[in-house]
Amino acid sequence: MTTTTDNILKRNQLSVTDSRKKILELFTANDGALAHSDIEKKTGEKFDRVTIYRTLQTFVEKGIIHTIPTVDNSVLYALCKMDCTEGHHHDNHVHFVCDNCNVTYCLDDVVTPKVNLPDGFKPKVMDVVVSGICKNC
Amino acid sequence: MTTTTDNILKRNQLSVTDSRKKILELFTANDGALAHSDIEKKTGEKFDRVTIYRTLQTFVEKGIIHTIPTVDNSVLYALCKMDCTEGHHHDNHVHFVCDNCNVTYCLDDVVTPKVNLPDGFKPKVMDVVVSGICKNC
DNA sequence: GTAACTGCAAAATATTTGCATCCTT
DNA sequence: AAGGATGCAAATATTTTGCAGTTAC
């Protein structure tokens, strides 16, 4: 049987390995964003730290996941839900960070609003980070 | 003669030292955001790396500067233009990163738009990061 | 003079690279 | 079998901490 994670990997011309499957599963199973350390914990330290770095980097390059800008400058990753392609990531995204439980949500469905920039600034990509209280708190 | 930077420091109950004056000057003289490494370079490595870390941290705590969320997770700092007070930073901000010259601008004057979040999400603070081409490129 | 700030050394963390071995195709 | 992926070791880079000496007030 071919699982969803296998498909995602194959579609991106990546060989299907234990670490990639497991890490990708974490993302599909979770609607929150994950930090490198979360992944280490949730995989039970089964994989080398270096492997996790390389796997995440590969996934970002392929457009499977993307990094989330955070105010405290921790590094967070979340699944790309739609048309992200290698190299360029389609990110008109809204991210939500809960002040209480500290989970970061990637709200792909929320439409990003327009902003009026000063003269001379030409916008291309926009990332929005909202913080507050989430639906589960 | 009392300079502006001196005033800012005094207003925040910080003693006026060389490093603090110089680093604060960099921020007031620049409309872009600064990374730790920028500060090292622009001060001509005159101050210890540790002093810069501590100075920046102090400024953030006092609400003189704030960190900017970046997609590539580098750590950037910019001046707070208005009513930021100790502990809590008033940040309905728009930040603009130029794809060309790579400068980050802190557009305090731009009004942040409203977004419609899914049920149960209560927004408090919103940070917007726009990238594209800036007025000088 | 005293409290606060700085610089140096070193510890703790985080990230990257090289290479030999193992696994996927 | 061949190319790519992993794990280990080690090199770098980044950030934090402790402490003694110096400076601002």
Side-chain angles (χ1 to χ4, degrees):
Chain A
M1 174 220 161
T2 310
T3 65
T4 311
T5 51
D6 283 14
N7 281 332
I8 296 176
L9 292 173
K10 282 176 187 155
R11 193 192 309 149
N12 287 283
Q13 296 116 43
L14 294 173
S15 39
V16 179
T17 64
D18 276 2
S19 55
R20 287 180 179 164
K21 276 202 290 194
K22 195 76 180 68
I23 292 173
L24 196 44
E25 259 166 41
L26 288 182
F27 281 107
T28 54
N30 214 305
D31 55 19
L34 297 171
H36 184 279
S37 63
D38 294 329
I39 294 167
E40 272 187 80
K41 278 174 216 141
K42 298 205 181 196
T43 52
E45 273 103 11
K46 198 178 156 226
F47 304 110
D48 196 280
R49 195 189 247 76
V50 175
T51 300
I52 297 176
Y53 277 115
R54 290 197 268 227
T55 303
L56 290 172
Q57 192 177 296
T58 304
F59 286 178
V60 170
E61 277 162 14
K62 292 291 185 181
I64 300 171
I65 61 176
H66 62 275
T67 60
I68 297 181
T70 57
V71 194
D72 68 332
N73 290 287
S74 54
V75 187
L76 289 180
Y77 300 88
L79 259 195
C80 293
K81 297 262 172 59
M82 356 187 296
D83 43 289
C84 295
T85 51
E86 180 149 2
H88 249 50
H89 170 59
H90 173 267
D91 48 348
N92 283 12
H93 262 106
V94 174
H95 294 113
F96 188 96
V97 186
C98 182
D99 290 337
N100 189 50
C101 64
N102 225 46
V103 169
T104 296
Y105 299 86
C106 192
L107 308 173
D108 297 75
D109 308 327
V110 176
V111 181
T112 52
K114 279 255 181 307
V115 287
N116 294 313
L117 299 173
D119 279 359
F121 288 90
K122 295 194 190 62
K124 272 223 299 258
V125 169
M126 180 166 150
D127 249 287
V128 179
V129 185
V130 183
S131 61
I133 305 299
C134 80
K135 63 177 179 204
N136 301 319
C137 287
Chain B
M1 173 219 163
T2 312
T3 66
T4 311
T5 50
D6 284 14
N7 281 331
I8 296 175
L9 292 173
K10 282 175 188 157
R11 192 191 312 148
N12 287 282
Q13 296 115 41
L14 294 173
S15 38
V16 179
T17 64
D18 276 3
S19 56
R20 287 179 179 165
K21 275 203 290 194
K22 195 77 180 65
I23 293 173
L24 196 43
E25 259 166 41
L26 288 182
F27 281 107
T28 54
N30 215 306
D31 55 18
L34 298 170
H36 185 277
S37 63
D38 294 330
I39 294 167
E40 271 187 81
K41 278 175 214 138
K42 300 206 179 195
T43 52
E45 274 105 9
K46 200 180 155 223
F47 304 110
D48 196 281
R49 196 190 244 73
V50 176
T51 301
I52 298 175
Y53 276 115
R54 289 196 270 226
T55 303
L56 291 172
Q57 192 177 297
T58 304
F59 286 177
V60 170
E61 277 162 14
K62 291 292 186 179
I64 300 171
I65 62 176
H66 61 275
T67 59
I68 297 181
T70 57
V71 194
D72 68 332
N73 290 287
S74 55
V75 188
L76 289 181
Y77 301 88
L79 259 196
C80 294
K81 298 261 172 60
M82 358 188 296
D83 44 287
C84 297
T85 52
E86 180 150 4
H88 250 51
H89 170 59
H90 172 267
D91 50 347
N92 281 13
H93 263 107
V94 174
H95 294 112
F96 188 96
V97 186
C98 181
D99 291 336
N100 190 49
C101 65
N102 224 46
V103 170
T104 297
Y105 299 86
C106 192
L107 308 173
D108 297 76
D109 309 327
V110 176
V111 182
T112 52
K114 280 254 181 307
V115 287
N116 294 313
L117 299 173
D119 279 357
F121 287 91
K122 296 194 190 63
K124 272 222 302 256
V125 169
M126 178 165 153
D127 249 285
V128 179
V129 185
V130 183
S131 62
I133 305 298
C134 79
K135 62 175 183 207
N136 301 319
C137 286

